[in-house]
Amino acid sequence: MLRAICCCCQILFVLCLFPTLSHSQVNKLDSGIKTFLAELNETNPKVAKEFQQRQEQSQQEIASAKKGHVIFGRIVLDDGRSPRSVVSQMILLEDGSFVDAVGAANRPIGFRLHGYEAINVIPKGPGPIENLGEIHMKPLPAEQLASGTGRIEIEAHPGVPRLDKIQLTWSIAVDPVNTPSNGTDGLGPFHQIFNSDLAKDGTFTVIGMSPAKYDLWVTAPNCVMQHREIVFTEGESQELPPIPVEVVRKMDVEFAVSHTSNFTNAKYAKTSLKADDRWRASDEIPEYASDLVIGQHEGKLLLRHAYGPCHVKDLGAGQLSDRFDVDLDELDGQQKQGIPVEDGHVYLVHQANWRHWIVMRTTLPKVDAR
């Protein structure tokens, strides 16, 4: 997506986006951000330059999406700490200032920092530029923070590593999000992560959690990565459901890709896939994208997707030469996540998002990879 627009075109941009506004109304709306930028330029020219770049990107995003408006303001931590580690849908600059595109008025934007109060700000709109002002966040006293206990369940398999090789990583989540695309700028280089220690019996405790949503990642060598979204409530302790740790399963795949469900002239290829893989069956799709995501649960591989619509049908046991064409209307598993992978089965995949079809046969090894 293009995210640049010339400074001299900013007034023209808002006039085109909001044709009912007069020149005086536009100038009044724009003067706030011009004053903010001018003051920023006097105190920190480097930050001012980055702020202006992000302002232009935000306006271009709105022009492309044909909806939304620009918001700006500044985050201040009441204990004097740097605000750069605060997470939100946008990256906060060195002095806590921010500017971003929002998708709609009356929908909240979240500002989060581990150990601090969770702040939601609701833009009033309608734009085209709205000053959210100075937003203060304060650290919470111990009695308002939350805690949790949990347990890791280790699969009975010789390939599972020792407990000291299992890592639990916590990260406060970006929530809620209000952008034209519902995406974010990412967490940024100053985002805080921290780990939990595992006891000898596989239990763990986490304390000092803000009343907010957190991401928990459980990783270990040769094991399936586990992700949990956990919401903590102010002042409360909760017991988390057990989290399994299991060895990664693998499969061999013979497949072909076609722009239709007719594979008569398609070229067949082979590959090996494992749990957590993001598979690009065709080089025609973008490098960041995938056709299927390989999941795993209780030792069973699963066919999932990150881009849809994606429709999958298990054609049953057989050879690729036995496969038959299936109309889209006959596909079951439409938009379902987690289609089980069976040994020797043939699957038909319609990846409508990338405008092609995949026929694939899966073979599971007799012994799990160790």
Side-chain angles (χ1 to χ4, degrees), residues 30 52-53 58 180 213 272 284 305 328:
D30 196 42
Q52 187 171 8
Q53 290 172 342
S58 299
K213 181 191 295 184
S272 293
E284 294 182 359
H305 62 271
L328 179 59

Side-chain angles (χ1 to χ4, degrees), residues 38 50 59 113 115 122 137 151 174 190 232 312 314 316 327 345:
E50 187 174 356
Q59 291 175 319
L113 180 59
I122 302 177
M137 296 178 69
R151 185 178 77 256
V174 180
F190 299 94
F232 289 93
V312 180
D314 183 349
D327 292 333
H345 278 220

Side-chain angles (χ1 to χ4, degrees), residues 192-214:
Q192 295 179 339
I193 61 173
F194 58 96
N195 299 324
S196 292
D197 294 327
L198 277 175
K200 293 181 179 180
D201 61 353
T203 60
F204 63 90
T205 300
V206 63
I207 61 174
M209 311 299 277
S210 294
K213 181 191 295 184
Y214 282 78

Side-chain angles (χ1 to χ4, degrees), residues 235-298:
E236 293 187 354
S237 180
Q238 62 173 301
E239 184 174 349
L240 309 177
I243 302 174
V245 170
E246 56 185 67
V247 172
V248 167
R249 267 57 173 188
K250 300 180 180 180
M251 64 177 170
D252 294 323
V253 178
E254 185 180 3
F255 70 97
V257 180
S258 173
H259 291 294
T260 71
S261 58
N262 186 334
F263 292 87
T264 303
N265 298 317
K267 294 182 179 180
Y268 289 80
K270 295 182 179 180
T271 191
S272 293
L273 299 173
K274 63 182 185 303
D276 293 336
D277 278 351
R278 301 175 70 88
W279 182 40
R280 294 170 66 238
S282 170
D283 292 336
E284 294 182 359
I285 71 174
E287 290 187 6
Y288 64 80
S290 61
D291 284 297
L292 292 174
V293 178
I294 311 304
Q296 182 177 317
H297 180 65
E298 296 183 349

Side-chain angles (χ1 to χ4, degrees), residues 44-222:
N44 196 326
K46 180 182 175 181
V47 173
K49 182 178 180 180
E50 187 174 356
F51 181 95
Q52 187 171 8
Q53 290 172 342
R54 291 185 177 276
Q55 175 194 352
E56 294 166 357
Q57 292 170 358
S58 299
Q59 291 175 319
Q60 187 71 358
E61 182 178 353
I62 291 167
S64 176
K66 295 184 172 63
K67 65 177 181 178
H69 67 279
V70 173
I71 51 95
F72 71 99
R74 179 177 282 114
I75 287 287
V76 176
L77 300 186
D78 284 352
D79 59 355
R81 287 182 54 191
S82 168
R84 300 213 76 177
S85 53
V86 174
V87 299
S88 186
Q89 64 185 42
M90 76 288 287
I91 300 296
L92 272 71
L93 304 184
E94 185 178 312
D95 68 335
S97 60
F98 61 85
V99 59
D100 199 25
V102 293
N106 301 317
R107 279 178 47 200
I109 301 168
F111 295 90
R112 302 289 187 266
L113 180 59
H114 176 61
Y116 286 69
E117 63 179 333
I119 299 291
N120 286 344
V121 177
I122 302 177
K124 297 179 180 179
I129 300 173
E130 180 178 358
N131 185 359
L132 297 184
E134 201 169 78
I135 302 167
H136 287 255
M137 296 178 69
K138 63 183 179 183
L140 292 174
E143 61 269 17
Q144 293 184 24
L145 296 172
S147 61
T149 58
R151 185 178 77 256
I152 297 298
E153 292 186 341
I154 300 178
E155 178 187 12
H157 188 287
V160 175
R162 302 189 311 268
L163 277 175
D164 60 358
K165 298 295 184 181
I166 300 173
Q167 188 172 56
L168 281 69
T169 304
W170 295 87
S171 170
I172 199 165
V174 180
D175 175 69
V177 173
N178 176 7
T179 60
S181 65
N182 292 321
T184 74
D185 282 340
L187 295 175
F190 299 94
H191 180 57
Q192 295 179 339
I193 61 173
F194 58 96
N195 299 324
S196 292
D197 294 327
L198 277 175
K200 293 181 179 180
D201 61 353
T203 60
F204 63 90
T205 300
V206 63
I207 61 174
M209 311 299 277
S210 294
K213 181 191 295 184
Y214 282 78
D215 290 304
L216 170 60
W217 302 91
V218 180
T219 56
N222 197 37

